[in-house]
Amino acid sequence: MERSLESGNMTRVQEFVLLGLSTRQGIRIGLFAVFLTLYVLTLLENTLIIYLVCSHSELRKPMYFFLGNLSCLEMCYVSVTVPSLLVGLRSSPCHVSFTACIIQLFLFIALISTKCTLLASMAYDRYVAICRPLHYPLLMRPQVCLGLALSSWLGGLLVSVVKTSCIASLSYCGPNVLNHFFCDVSPLLNLSCTHVALTELVDFISAIVIFCGSLLVALASYVAIGRTVLHMPSAAARRKALSTCASHLVVVGIFYAVVLFMYTRPSRISPMDLNKVLSVVYTMLTPMCSPVIYCLRNREVHVVLQRTLHSRWVPSVRTNLAHS
């Protein structure tokens, strides 16, 4: 659907068509059931993490404060991209208006930028806890944690405003078909009928500042942690130190490995189909796996979760048995 521009003969696209993951009916039905299940599981897992962090005083520590922020972000993150994926699988192709596409792009960029800086803040928290334990209460006091979290969210919004404004100001004259399941930067730039050099420069600079900057912070933190652990006197102390950051290291490794591969792989490797598969990994699988990884590796979360389940379920079971 197009509308003539008053300034000339060019036409402006008023909606985009998202091709989604697959055009085969049998595959779409199966994928819809799988991704809907994963989406619901992701929401439930991260809701549980937020509930545990907010309702138990023993989890009111900097590490769990950032984990609660990350869980909140993951819920928003999947809710921005997965609904359009499900709509595309249910009634392919998915038609989305220009305005809705730009809003989805804005939220996606804001959330992924915030996730990068939050992961870096969590790495710094582990660095202080292991490398400077005596200064931990001072360096990670509540005001500092709140400042790091707020700067992560506000920084993500600022980056998204700049990048989305540049992309929205481009002209889109047709075609209007996006070979993706949500509105992402690269597919939109490929459809623009005007020069995108300035927009690509803004995208490159913001990626250097946010992505590479947060990656360097995380790497520097874990290099320092590794050196400190190697100099610990006993194997028990080394195991205890590593156990406090192993789960975060796994989450960081998966997220950054996928994103790095997406932007550094050779261009001859089936660009769009591979991009869509990798996008599924970092937009759906990592948000679903993060709570599981953190809970499996964390004894404090285990204890709180078991106590919560016992206090909620056992009395209700006893009540039902008494009535019966």
Side-chain angles (χ1 to χ4, degrees):
M1 187 182 298
E2 298 178 343
R3 183 178 62 186
S4 297
L5 294 174
E6 297 177 358
S7 58
N9 294 325
M10 296 176 65
T11 56
R12 183 177 178 87
V13 168
Q14 293 300 296
E15 72 171 15
F16 292 105
V17 179
L18 302 176
L19 293 183
L21 289 180
S22 175
T23 56
R24 296 173 58 183
Q25 180 65 25
I27 295 178
R28 290 209 316 267
I29 294 174
L31 290 177
F32 178 85
V34 170
F35 286 124
L36 179 61
T37 302
L38 294 179
Y39 178 51
V40 173
L41 280 175
T42 302
L43 294 180
L44 291 175
E45 289 172 357
N46 286 284
T47 300
L48 178 62
I49 292 291
I50 294 172
Y51 169 76
L52 293 177
V53 171
C54 293
S55 60
H56 292 82
S57 58
E58 54 265 54
L59 296 184
R60 288 173 189 168
K61 301 176 182 178
M63 181 173 69
Y64 301 112
F65 170 76
F66 290 118
L67 179 57
N69 273 267
L70 183 64
S71 293
C72 180
L73 183 142
E74 301 284 30
M75 292 175 64
C76 299
Y77 192 52
V78 295
S79 297
V80 166
T81 56
V82 175
S84 62
L85 167 63
L86 294 175
V87 171
L89 291 172
R90 187 66 177 170
S91 56
S92 182
C94 175
H95 295 260
V96 58
S97 68
F98 180 85
T99 302
C101 186
I102 294 300
I103 292 174
Q104 185 184 47
L105 177 69
F106 170 80
L107 294 173
F108 173 74
I109 294 174
L111 291 170
I112 197 171
S113 300
T114 302
K115 182 171 183 176
C116 288
T117 48
L118 264 180
L119 290 176
S121 298
M122 295 173 76
Y124 173 73
D125 169 70
R126 293 298 84 205
Y127 157 75
V128 177
I130 295 172
C131 300
R132 305 184 66 182
L134 297 179
H135 297 90
Y136 187 78
L138 175 65
L139 294 178
M140 297 306 297
R141 58 190 183 277
Q143 296 89 336
V144 174
C145 295
L146 183 60
L148 287 172
L150 282 177
S151 61
S152 297
W153 288 94
L154 294 177
L157 288 174
L158 179 60
V159 170
S160 186
V161 166
V162 175
K163 291 181 67 169
T164 307
S165 298
C166 291
I167 295 172
S169 64
L170 298 173
S171 295
Y172 299 91
C173 319
N176 65 340
V177 178
L178 291 171
N179 188 14
H180 215 314
F181 60 87
F182 70 96
C183 295
D184 201 0
V185 175
S186 296
L188 284 171
L189 291 181
N190 290 336
L191 292 185
S192 175
C193 54
T194 53
H195 295 293
V196 296
L198 178 61
T199 303
E200 288 179 336
L201 178 62
V202 171
D203 184 45
F204 176 76
I205 293 174
S206 62
I208 292 294
V209 172
I210 293 293
F211 181 78
C212 295
S214 61
L215 177 58
L216 287 175
V217 170
L219 287 176
S221 298
Y222 279 107
V223 167
I225 289 171
R227 288 178 177 175
T228 302
V229 169
L230 289 176
H231 288 88
M232 287 181 175
S234 66
R238 288 193 290 270
R239 283 195 300 270
K240 182 178 180 181
L242 289 175
S243 67
T244 64
C245 59
S247 55
H248 180 257
L249 187 58
V250 171
V251 172
V252 168
I254 295 173
F255 175 75
Y256 280 111
V258 172
V259 177
L260 275 174
F261 183 75
M262 280 191 66
Y263 290 101
T264 60
R265 60 171 172 72
S267 58
R268 65 177 180 274
I269 303 180
S270 46
M272 289 315 300
D273 290 338
L274 183 61
N275 272 1
K276 288 191 284 187
V277 173
L278 293 176
S279 295
V280 169
V281 173
Y282 77 81
T283 60
M284 169 153 280
L285 295 185
T286 54
M288 183 196 71
C289 294
S290 292
V292 177
I293 293 171
Y294 280 111
C295 289
L296 286 176
R297 300 290 303 180
N298 194 291
R299 184 176 178 276
E300 287 180 307
V301 176
H302 276 177
V303 172
V304 168
L305 180 59
Q306 290 174 0
R307 190 192 316 149
T308 301
L309 294 177
H310 186 270
S311 63
R312 297 286 180 180
W313 288 5
V314 172
S316 62
V317 171
R318 288 175 178 172
T319 302
N320 292 333
L321 290 175
H323 286 301
S324 61

